[in-house]
Amino acid sequence: QQQVKQSPQSLIVQKGGISIINCAYENTAFDYFPWYQQFPGKGPALLIAIRPDVSEKKEGRFTISFNKSAKQFSLHIMDSQPGDSATYFCAAGYTGRRALTFGSGTRLQVQP
Amino acid sequence: DTAVSQTPKYLVTQMGNDKSIKCEQNLGHDTMYWYKQDSKKFLKIMFSYNNKELIINETVPNRFSPKSPDKAHLNLHINSLELGDSAVYFCASSQADRDAEKLFFGSGTQLSVL
C-alpha cells in the first residue's frame, strides 16, 4: 500500500521535445505528491509538488498533472533541454507520516 | 554554506567492520531522515527522526543504529557490515509540519563493502 509505481524506467527525448513520466499509487491516504530531480553524484532535489485539491500545477517548463480518481500523476517537461538529463523520482506522502515513499526513478536523456 | 552535509562522501571497508556516517543540517528543520539508494537507484526510507525522537524505523536490520544527539545532527552507525549493505546512503531534513514534501538531501555517502 505504500508503493508508488513509476514508468518508464528510461526515456530518450530530442532537444525541444516533451518528456512525460507517469506514476501511480494505491494508498488513498497520500495527500502530497512531489517530484525530485537527481544528477549523478548528487542528492535528489525537489522540482515541483502538488496536493490533490488541484489537477494541474505548472512551474516554468515543468507541469504536474494529477488524476485523483485514477490515482495517477505525471510530470511533463516541455521544451526539454540537454541540461534536464537526470534521474526523476515521483514520491508521495501523507500528513502524519514523516517520510516520503519514492517511485523507482526514470532516467531521462535529452539528446542535442 | 551547505544546508545538509554528510561525511564521509566515500567509505570503502571490509565485511564485518563497523562504520559510522555523520549528518548535520543548518536549516533549523525539525525532522531528519536516512534514505538508502541501491544500485538500481531505488530510494527507500530507513529512519525518520523528529526533534531527536525516532518516529520511523522501516524494518531495517538492528545492525543499523541511528543516533540524534540534537535536532541538527543525525548519525548512522552500522555494525558487522555485509556485502548487501553496499549502497549510497542519503541524509535529508525537512520542516515536516509546514513543508512535508520538501526534503533537503545531502550529497550522499557511497558505501562499498568488500
Side-chain angles (χ1 to χ4, degrees):
Chain A
Q1 271 239 320
Q2 293 293 344
Q3 266 193 324
V4 178
K5 293 183 180 176
Q6 183 172 346
S7 63
Q9 194 173 10
S10 63
L11 184 58
I12 299 174
V13 170
Q14 296 296 315
K15 180 182 172 182
I18 302 172
S19 305
I20 302 174
I21 305 170
N22 301 300
C23 284
Y25 62 97
E26 297 272 331
N27 189 347
T28 54
F30 286 140
D31 59 7
Y32 49 88
F33 303 88
W35 285 87
Y36 280 76
Q37 180 188 55
Q38 185 180 26
F39 292 104
K42 303 287 185 188
L46 178 67
L47 193 61
I48 186 172
I50 198 168
R51 300 235 168 188
D53 51 345
V54 296
S55 60
E56 188 175 279
K57 183 174 180 180
K58 185 176 179 178
E59 287 183 5
R61 296 183 295 109
F62 301 92
T63 300
I64 301 179
S65 297
F66 183 78
N67 185 332
K68 190 173 181 177
S69 59
K71 291 186 281 185
Q72 294 174 348
F73 57 111
S74 59
L75 176 69
H76 291 59
I77 305 174
M78 312 300 286
D79 186 26
S80 299
Q81 299 297 312
D84 297 331
S85 298
T87 301
Y88 292 81
F89 294 92
C90 62
Y94 59 85
T95 305
R97 173 177 158 86
R98 293 176 190 261
L100 289 176
T101 299
F102 283 86
S104 52
T106 296
R107 190 177 171 194
L108 171 65
Q109 229 177 308
V110 180
Q111 293 186 332
Chain B
D1 202 19
T2 307
V4 180
S5 57
Q6 55 183 109
T7 54
K9 187 157 177 69
Y10 301 98
L11 198 45
V12 181
T13 188
Q14 299 288 328
M15 253 188 343
N17 283 350
D18 303 339
K19 289 293 177 189
S20 292
I21 307 171
K22 295 186 174 184
C23 179
E24 176 182 3
Q25 55 98 0
N26 63 7
L27 297 166
H29 288 164
D30 64 356
T31 305
M32 295 185 72
Y33 312 82
W34 281 110
Y35 276 85
K36 178 180 180 181
Q37 187 169 48
D38 63 22
S39 58
K40 294 184 178 177
K41 298 287 192 187
F42 189 63
L43 266 168
K44 188 168 164 52
I45 181 71
M46 298 174 69
F47 301 104
S48 171
Y49 268 76
N50 176 250
N51 288 319
K52 304 196 303 173
E53 183 185 342
L54 177 66
I55 51 175
I56 290 179
N57 179 342
E58 200 77 349
T59 60
V60 177
N62 57 16
R63 296 184 295 104
F64 290 78
S65 51
K67 277 193 175 57
S68 181
D70 56 57
K71 256 178 44 167
H73 295 85
L74 180 61
N75 304 322
L76 183 64
H77 188 76
I78 316 169
N79 289 328
S80 304
L81 278 154
E82 299 178 358
L83 292 176
D85 297 332
S86 296
V88 181
Y89 292 84
F90 285 101
C91 176
S93 73
S94 73
Q95 187 60 31
D97 59 350
R98 189 180 65 232
D99 293 316
E101 65 268 37
K102 193 167 187 177
L103 267 59
F104 287 78
F105 282 84
S107 55
T109 295
Q110 186 164 339
L111 173 64
S112 299
V113 182
L114 307 177

